Amino acid sequence: MANTSSKTNRVKLASFNLFNYIEPPLAYYDFENIYSAEQWQKKQSWLAEFLAQHQPDIIGFQEVFSAPALAEQMRAAGYEHFATVGEPTVIDDYICRDPVVALCSKFPVTEVTAIEAEPEYIYGLGLNPDFAFSRKPLRATVQLPQIGLCDIYVVHFKSKRPHLDELPAPKFVQSKLTQAVNRPSAAPLVNFGELLGRNSLGQWASSIQRGSEAALLFHAMLQRRIETNQPMMLMGDFNEELTSSVLSPLTNRELRFEKEGLGELANYPLTDAYKLFQQGLQDLFGVKATEANLEEIAEEEERMLAKARASRAPTHYYGASGNVLDYILLSADFDPSFDNSVAEVCDYHTEDRHLVNPSFERDSQSSDHAPVTCTLRIRR
Protein backbone atom coordinates (compact mmCIF):
# COMPACT_ATOMS: atom_id res chain seq x y z
CA MET A 1 0.00 0.00 0.00
CA ALA A 2 1.28 3.44 -0.85
CA ASN A 3 2.23 5.67 2.04
CA THR A 4 0.00 8.69 1.44
CA SER A 5 1.46 10.53 4.44
CA SER A 6 4.91 10.52 2.83
CA LYS A 7 3.65 13.51 0.83
CA THR A 8 4.47 16.79 2.50
CA ASN A 9 0.83 17.85 2.55
CA ARG A 10 -0.51 14.68 4.22
CA VAL A 11 -0.81 13.74 7.89
CA LYS A 12 -2.16 10.31 8.80
CA LEU A 13 -3.78 9.66 12.19
CA ALA A 14 -4.73 6.39 13.88
CA SER A 15 -6.55 5.32 17.02
CA PHE A 16 -5.67 1.84 18.22
CA ASN A 17 -6.94 -0.18 21.20
CA LEU A 18 -4.08 -2.65 21.67
CA PHE A 19 -6.10 -5.03 23.88
CA ASN A 20 -3.84 -5.82 26.83
CA TYR A 21 -0.41 -4.83 25.56
CA ILE A 22 1.64 -6.28 28.41
CA GLU A 23 5.13 -7.73 28.40
CA PRO A 24 5.66 -11.05 30.21
CA PRO A 25 6.13 -11.97 33.00
CA LEU A 26 3.54 -9.33 33.89
CA ALA A 27 -0.10 -10.49 33.87
CA TYR A 28 -3.27 -8.54 33.11
CA TYR A 29 -6.01 -8.72 35.77
CA ASP A 30 -5.35 -12.35 36.78
CA PHE A 31 -2.25 -14.44 37.45
CA GLU A 32 -3.19 -16.79 34.60
CA ASN A 33 -3.11 -13.97 32.00
CA ILE A 34 0.58 -14.04 31.14
CA TYR A 35 1.63 -14.19 27.50
CA SER A 36 4.05 -16.90 26.50
CA ALA A 37 7.14 -15.75 24.63
CA GLU A 38 5.48 -16.86 21.38
CA GLN A 39 2.21 -15.04 22.15
CA TRP A 40 4.06 -11.83 23.03
CA GLN A 41 6.09 -12.02 19.83
CA LYS A 42 2.90 -12.51 17.80
CA LYS A 43 1.25 -9.54 19.48
CA GLN A 44 4.19 -7.28 18.70
CA SER A 45 4.37 -8.66 15.15
CA TRP A 46 0.68 -7.88 14.56
CA LEU A 47 1.25 -4.27 15.60
CA ALA A 48 4.39 -4.09 13.45
CA GLU A 49 2.45 -5.35 10.43
CA PHE A 50 -0.24 -2.72 10.96
CA LEU A 51 2.40 0.01 11.12
CA ALA A 52 4.16 -1.21 7.99
CA GLN A 53 0.92 -1.47 6.01
CA HIS A 54 -0.80 1.76 7.05
CA GLN A 55 2.14 3.93 8.14
CA PRO A 56 0.29 6.47 10.30
CA ASP A 57 2.20 9.54 11.44
CA ILE A 58 0.47 9.87 14.81
CA ILE A 59 -1.16 7.07 16.82
CA GLY A 60 -3.29 7.22 19.95
CA PHE A 61 -3.10 3.93 21.88
CA GLN A 62 -5.39 2.47 24.53
CA GLU A 63 -4.97 -0.52 26.89
CA VAL A 64 -1.25 -0.06 27.41
CA PHE A 65 0.20 -1.93 30.38
CA SER A 66 3.85 -2.01 29.31
CA ALA A 67 4.60 1.53 28.14
CA PRO A 68 8.42 1.08 28.03
CA ALA A 69 8.06 -1.95 25.74
CA LEU A 70 5.65 -0.05 23.49
CA ALA A 71 7.97 2.96 23.34
CA GLU A 72 10.86 0.69 22.36
CA GLN A 73 8.85 -1.04 19.64
CA MET A 74 7.63 2.26 18.25
CA ARG A 75 11.11 3.79 18.20
CA ALA A 76 12.29 0.77 16.22
CA ALA A 77 9.46 1.46 13.75
CA GLY A 78 10.56 5.06 13.25
CA TYR A 79 8.44 6.91 15.81
CA GLU A 80 10.84 9.18 17.67
CA HIS A 81 8.29 10.72 20.02
CA PHE A 82 6.38 8.77 22.68
CA ALA A 83 4.12 10.08 25.43
CA THR A 84 2.02 8.55 28.18
CA VAL A 85 0.52 9.67 31.49
CA GLY A 86 0.14 7.63 34.65
CA GLU A 87 1.05 4.03 35.29
CA PRO A 88 -0.98 0.82 35.62
CA THR A 89 -1.78 -0.46 39.08
CA VAL A 90 0.42 -3.42 40.02
CA ILE A 91 -0.90 -6.02 42.46
CA ASP A 92 1.26 -8.73 44.03
CA ASP A 93 4.34 -7.61 42.10
CA TYR A 94 3.21 -8.71 38.64
CA ILE A 95 -0.60 -8.64 38.25
CA CYS A 96 -1.66 -5.41 36.56
CA ARG A 97 -4.90 -3.50 36.15
CA ASP A 98 -5.84 0.05 35.10
CA PRO A 99 -4.00 0.29 31.74
CA VAL A 100 -3.06 3.72 30.42
CA VAL A 101 -3.27 5.55 27.10
CA ALA A 102 -0.28 6.62 25.03
CA LEU A 103 0.63 8.61 21.92
CA CYS A 104 3.37 8.05 19.35
CA SER A 105 4.35 10.60 16.73
CA LYS A 106 6.79 11.06 13.88
CA PHE A 107 6.46 14.79 14.47
CA PRO A 108 7.90 16.63 17.49
CA VAL A 109 5.88 16.60 20.72
CA THR A 110 6.38 19.84 22.62
CA GLU A 111 4.17 19.28 25.67
CA VAL A 112 2.46 16.37 27.43
CA THR A 113 -0.03 16.55 30.27
CA ALA A 114 -2.75 14.49 31.93
CA ILE A 115 -6.28 15.89 32.03
CA GLU A 116 -7.64 15.99 35.56
CA ALA A 117 -11.23 16.65 36.63
CA GLU A 118 -11.42 20.03 38.37
CA PRO A 119 -12.98 19.84 41.89
CA GLU A 120 -15.31 22.82 41.42
CA TYR A 121 -16.89 21.20 38.37
CA ILE A 122 -17.08 17.81 40.06
CA TYR A 123 -19.06 19.53 42.82
CA GLY A 124 -21.17 21.50 40.34
CA LEU A 125 -22.20 18.31 38.54
CA GLY A 126 -23.22 16.66 41.80
CA LEU A 127 -20.61 13.91 41.45
CA ASN A 128 -18.83 12.05 44.22
CA PRO A 129 -16.00 14.29 45.54
CA ASP A 130 -13.61 11.40 44.79
CA PHE A 131 -14.62 11.36 41.11
CA ALA A 132 -11.74 10.80 38.67
CA PHE A 133 -11.38 9.70 35.07
CA SER A 134 -11.38 5.90 34.84
CA ARG A 135 -8.26 6.28 32.67
CA LYS A 136 -6.44 9.60 32.62
CA PRO A 137 -6.83 11.33 29.25
CA LEU A 138 -3.61 12.49 27.64
CA ARG A 139 -3.02 15.78 25.89
CA ALA A 140 0.02 16.07 23.66
CA THR A 141 0.91 19.21 21.74
CA VAL A 142 2.42 18.17 18.40
CA GLN A 143 4.21 20.29 15.82
CA LEU A 144 2.44 19.40 12.55
CA PRO A 145 4.01 20.29 9.19
CA GLN A 146 2.65 23.52 7.70
CA ILE A 147 -0.06 23.68 10.39
CA GLY A 148 2.00 24.29 13.50
CA LEU A 149 1.12 23.34 17.06
CA CYS A 150 -1.92 21.09 17.49
CA ASP A 151 -3.40 19.69 20.72
CA ILE A 152 -4.10 15.96 20.43
CA TYR A 153 -6.11 14.18 23.11
CA VAL A 154 -6.13 10.40 23.63
CA VAL A 155 -8.91 8.84 25.70
CA HIS A 156 -10.34 5.55 26.83
CA PHE A 157 -13.71 6.32 28.39
CA LYS A 158 -15.35 4.13 31.02
CA SER A 159 -16.64 0.84 29.64
CA LYS A 160 -20.28 -0.24 29.67
CA ARG A 161 -19.47 -2.93 32.21
CA PRO A 162 -21.82 -2.38 35.18
CA HIS A 163 -20.17 -0.30 37.88
CA LEU A 164 -21.20 -2.07 41.09
CA ASP A 165 -18.47 -1.09 43.55
CA GLU A 166 -20.54 1.36 45.59
CA LEU A 167 -23.87 -0.52 45.49
CA PRO A 168 -25.09 -2.54 48.51
CA ALA A 169 -24.31 -6.24 48.48
CA PRO A 170 -26.96 -8.40 46.73
CA LYS A 171 -29.73 -9.73 48.91
CA PHE A 172 -30.63 -13.39 49.26
CA VAL A 173 -34.05 -14.91 49.99
CA GLN A 174 -35.42 -18.17 51.26
CA SER A 175 -37.49 -19.95 48.63
CA LYS A 176 -41.13 -20.78 49.41
CA LEU A 177 -40.23 -24.46 49.07
CA THR A 178 -37.52 -24.14 51.73
CA GLN A 179 -39.91 -22.31 54.00
CA ALA A 180 -42.63 -24.92 53.46
CA VAL A 181 -40.47 -27.88 54.48
CA ASN A 182 -39.11 -25.94 57.43
CA ARG A 183 -35.46 -26.17 56.46
CA PRO A 184 -34.02 -22.98 57.87
CA SER A 185 -30.50 -24.32 57.44
CA ALA A 186 -30.88 -24.65 53.67
CA ALA A 187 -28.74 -22.28 51.63
CA PRO A 188 -30.66 -19.15 50.61
CA LEU A 189 -31.32 -18.58 46.96
CA VAL A 190 -30.18 -15.64 44.93
CA ASN A 191 -32.82 -13.00 44.44
CA PHE A 192 -32.65 -12.72 40.65
CA GLY A 193 -34.87 -9.67 40.64
CA GLU A 194 -32.36 -8.00 42.93
CA LEU A 195 -29.48 -9.00 40.66
CA LEU A 196 -31.27 -7.69 37.58
CA GLY A 197 -31.97 -4.41 39.34
CA ARG A 198 -28.35 -4.15 40.49
CA ASN A 199 -27.15 -4.76 36.95
CA SER A 200 -29.42 -1.98 35.67
CA LEU A 201 -28.14 0.39 38.35
CA GLY A 202 -24.56 -0.61 37.60
CA GLN A 203 -24.96 0.08 33.89
CA TRP A 204 -26.45 3.47 34.63
CA ALA A 205 -23.56 4.23 37.00
CA SER A 206 -21.16 3.43 34.16
CA SER A 207 -23.10 5.72 31.83
CA ILE A 208 -22.93 8.53 34.39
CA GLN A 209 -19.17 8.02 34.68
CA ARG A 210 -18.66 7.90 30.91
CA GLY A 211 -20.87 10.91 30.22
CA SER A 212 -19.24 12.93 32.99
CA GLU A 213 -15.82 12.08 31.59
CA ALA A 214 -16.87 13.30 28.14
CA ALA A 215 -18.33 16.56 29.47
CA LEU A 216 -15.40 17.35 31.76
CA LEU A 217 -12.87 16.54 29.05
CA PHE A 218 -14.62 18.73 26.49
CA HIS A 219 -14.72 21.58 28.97
CA ALA A 220 -10.96 21.23 29.49
CA MET A 221 -10.46 21.15 25.72
CA LEU A 222 -12.44 24.36 25.27
CA GLN A 223 -10.46 26.14 27.98
CA ARG A 224 -7.26 25.13 26.23
CA ARG A 225 -8.67 26.27 22.88
CA ILE A 226 -9.50 29.69 24.31
CA GLU A 227 -5.97 30.01 25.71
CA THR A 228 -4.05 28.91 22.60
CA ASN A 229 -6.45 28.92 19.62
CA GLN A 230 -4.63 25.76 18.48
CA PRO A 231 -6.37 23.07 16.41
CA MET A 232 -7.71 20.11 18.39
CA MET A 233 -7.99 16.37 17.80
CA LEU A 234 -9.61 13.79 20.04
CA MET A 235 -9.07 10.08 19.43
CA GLY A 236 -9.66 6.89 21.35
CA ASP A 237 -11.97 4.14 22.50
CA PHE A 238 -15.18 5.89 23.54
CA ASN A 239 -16.96 2.67 24.64
CA GLU A 240 -20.17 4.18 23.25
CA GLU A 241 -21.68 5.12 19.92
CA LEU A 242 -21.00 8.80 19.25
CA THR A 243 -24.72 9.34 18.58
CA SER A 244 -25.53 8.39 22.17
CA SER A 245 -26.82 11.16 24.42
CA VAL A 246 -24.12 10.11 26.90
CA LEU A 247 -21.44 11.48 24.55
CA SER A 248 -23.45 14.44 23.25
CA PRO A 249 -21.23 17.03 24.99
CA LEU A 250 -18.43 16.21 22.55
CA THR A 251 -20.33 17.18 19.39
CA ASN A 252 -23.14 19.40 20.68
CA ARG A 253 -23.62 22.42 18.44
CA GLU A 254 -26.75 23.80 20.07
CA LEU A 255 -25.72 26.58 22.42
CA ARG A 256 -28.48 28.57 24.07
CA PHE A 257 -27.84 31.89 25.76
CA GLU A 258 -30.15 34.58 27.01
CA LYS A 259 -27.75 37.32 25.95
CA GLU A 260 -26.42 38.07 22.50
CA GLY A 261 -23.04 39.36 21.42
CA LEU A 262 -21.06 36.32 22.61
CA GLY A 263 -18.84 36.27 19.55
CA GLU A 264 -18.00 33.54 17.04
CA LEU A 265 -18.78 30.06 18.37
CA ALA A 266 -18.61 28.05 15.17
CA ASN A 267 -14.97 27.07 15.57
CA TYR A 268 -15.43 25.20 18.85
CA PRO A 269 -17.43 22.00 18.18
CA LEU A 270 -15.75 18.71 17.28
CA THR A 271 -16.77 16.64 14.25
CA ASP A 272 -16.34 12.96 13.53
CA ALA A 273 -13.52 12.53 10.98
CA TYR A 274 -15.59 9.90 9.17
CA LYS A 275 -18.40 12.43 8.71
CA LEU A 276 -15.95 14.99 7.33
CA PHE A 277 -14.59 12.36 4.94
CA GLN A 278 -18.08 11.56 3.68
CA GLN A 279 -18.92 15.22 3.25
CA GLY A 280 -15.72 15.80 1.32
CA LEU A 281 -16.47 12.93 -1.06
CA GLN A 282 -19.96 14.22 -1.71
CA ASP A 283 -18.59 17.64 -2.57
CA LEU A 284 -15.82 16.23 -4.76
CA PHE A 285 -17.58 13.40 -6.57
CA GLY A 286 -21.24 14.24 -6.17
CA VAL A 287 -22.05 14.71 -9.83
CA LYS A 288 -20.08 11.70 -11.03
CA ALA A 289 -21.51 9.53 -8.26
CA THR A 290 -25.07 10.27 -9.26
CA GLU A 291 -24.25 9.50 -12.86
CA ALA A 292 -22.51 6.28 -11.73
CA ASN A 293 -20.16 6.55 -14.70
CA LEU A 294 -17.16 4.82 -13.14
CA GLU A 295 -15.30 4.60 -16.46
CA GLU A 296 -14.71 8.34 -16.32
CA ILE A 297 -13.45 8.25 -12.75
CA ALA A 298 -9.76 7.76 -12.04
CA GLU A 299 -8.67 4.69 -10.11
CA GLU A 300 -8.13 6.66 -6.89
CA GLU A 301 -11.50 8.35 -7.20
CA GLU A 302 -13.18 5.00 -7.79
CA ARG A 303 -11.65 3.61 -4.63
CA MET A 304 -12.83 6.62 -2.66
CA LEU A 305 -16.31 6.34 -4.13
CA ALA A 306 -16.50 2.70 -3.08
CA LYS A 307 -15.72 3.76 0.46
CA ALA A 308 -18.34 6.49 0.30
CA ARG A 309 -21.03 4.03 -0.76
CA ALA A 310 -20.11 1.40 1.80
CA SER A 311 -21.71 1.46 5.22
CA ARG A 312 -19.50 2.32 8.15
CA ALA A 313 -17.70 -0.72 9.53
CA PRO A 314 -18.04 -1.52 13.25
CA THR A 315 -14.89 -1.30 15.34
CA HIS A 316 -16.04 -3.79 17.98
CA TYR A 317 -18.36 -6.79 18.16
CA TYR A 318 -20.30 -8.10 21.13
CA GLY A 319 -21.47 -11.49 19.92
CA ALA A 320 -22.95 -10.89 16.47
CA SER A 321 -23.71 -7.24 17.17
CA GLY A 322 -21.24 -4.69 15.85
CA ASN A 323 -20.77 -1.12 17.09
CA VAL A 324 -18.54 1.82 16.27
CA LEU A 325 -16.73 2.60 19.54
CA ASP A 326 -13.42 4.01 18.25
CA TYR A 327 -13.29 7.54 16.87
CA ILE A 328 -11.15 10.41 15.69
CA LEU A 329 -12.82 13.79 16.24
CA LEU A 330 -11.47 17.01 14.75
CA SER A 331 -11.96 20.70 15.42
CA ALA A 332 -13.31 23.04 12.76
CA ASP A 333 -9.74 23.69 11.60
CA PHE A 334 -10.11 20.47 9.59
CA ASP A 335 -13.58 21.20 8.23
CA PRO A 336 -13.48 22.82 4.74
CA SER A 337 -16.81 24.54 5.41
CA PHE A 338 -15.07 26.62 8.09
CA ASP A 339 -13.51 29.75 6.57
CA ASN A 340 -10.20 29.41 8.39
CA SER A 341 -9.72 25.65 7.98
CA VAL A 342 -6.17 24.44 7.37
CA ALA A 343 -6.78 20.84 6.22
CA GLU A 344 -9.43 18.37 5.13
CA VAL A 345 -10.05 14.65 5.60
CA CYS A 346 -9.16 12.89 2.35
CA ASP A 347 -9.28 9.26 3.53
CA TYR A 348 -10.73 7.15 6.34
CA HIS A 349 -10.22 3.45 7.02
CA THR A 350 -11.32 0.82 9.55
CA GLU A 351 -8.83 -2.08 9.74
CA ASP A 352 -11.27 -4.87 10.64
CA ARG A 353 -9.95 -7.92 8.77
CA HIS A 354 -8.99 -9.62 12.04
CA LEU A 355 -12.58 -9.21 13.28
CA VAL A 356 -14.57 -10.21 10.19
CA ASN A 357 -12.18 -12.66 8.52
CA PRO A 358 -9.68 -13.77 11.16
CA SER A 359 -6.77 -16.13 10.67
CA PHE A 360 -5.53 -17.81 13.86
CA GLU A 361 -1.93 -17.83 12.72
CA ARG A 362 -2.02 -14.15 11.85
CA ASP A 363 -4.58 -12.68 14.27
CA SER A 364 -4.66 -14.80 17.43
CA GLN A 365 -2.92 -12.06 19.45
CA SER A 366 -4.36 -9.01 17.67
CA SER A 367 -7.12 -6.92 19.29
CA ASP A 368 -10.82 -7.06 20.00
CA HIS A 369 -11.13 -3.59 18.41
CA ALA A 370 -10.54 -2.43 14.85
CA PRO A 371 -8.01 0.41 14.57
CA VAL A 372 -9.25 3.43 12.63
CA THR A 373 -7.16 5.76 10.51
CA CYS A 374 -7.81 9.05 8.76
CA THR A 375 -5.61 11.07 6.42
CA LEU A 376 -5.56 14.86 6.41
CA ARG A 377 -4.70 16.87 3.31
CA ILE A 378 -3.16 20.19 4.33
CA ARG A 379 -4.71 23.03 2.35
CA ARG A 380 -2.16 25.76 3.01
Side-chain angles (χ1 to χ4, degrees), residues 232-268:
M232 303 184 296
M233 303 176 180
L234 170 61
M235 61 178 71
D237 176 1
F238 290 8
N239 267 312
E240 184 86 64
E241 295 270 2
L242 190 59
T243 54
S244 166
S245 60
V246 173
L247 297 183
S248 62
L250 296 175
T251 57
N252 187 15
R253 282 165 167 73
E254 184 179 358
L255 301 175
R256 298 182 180 179
F257 298 94
E258 294 180 1
K259 298 180 180 179
E260 298 180 356
L262 293 174
E264 177 61 52
L265 297 173
N267 61 336
Y268 288 128

Side-chain angles (χ1 to χ4, degrees), residues 1 21 43 49 61 68 111 120 170 247 258 263 313 336 352-353:
M1 174 179 291
Y21 186 95
K43 191 162 192 70
E49 181 181 349
F61 289 113
E111 182 182 356
E120 59 267 37
L247 297 183
E258 294 180 1
D352 63 351
R353 180 181 63 175

Side-chain angles (χ1 to χ4, degrees), residues 6 13 37 53 83 85 87-88 101 105 107 113 122 157 164 176 182 185 233 241 243 256 259 271 282 308 317:
S6 64
L13 314 170
Q53 181 179 3
V85 290
E87 295 181 351
V101 301
S105 174
F107 306 122
T113 189
I122 293 175
F157 290 140
L164 304 172
K176 292 183 178 179
N182 193 23
S185 62
M233 303 176 180
E241 295 270 2
T243 54
R256 298 182 180 179
K259 298 180 180 179
T271 304
Q282 291 173 7
Y317 288 86

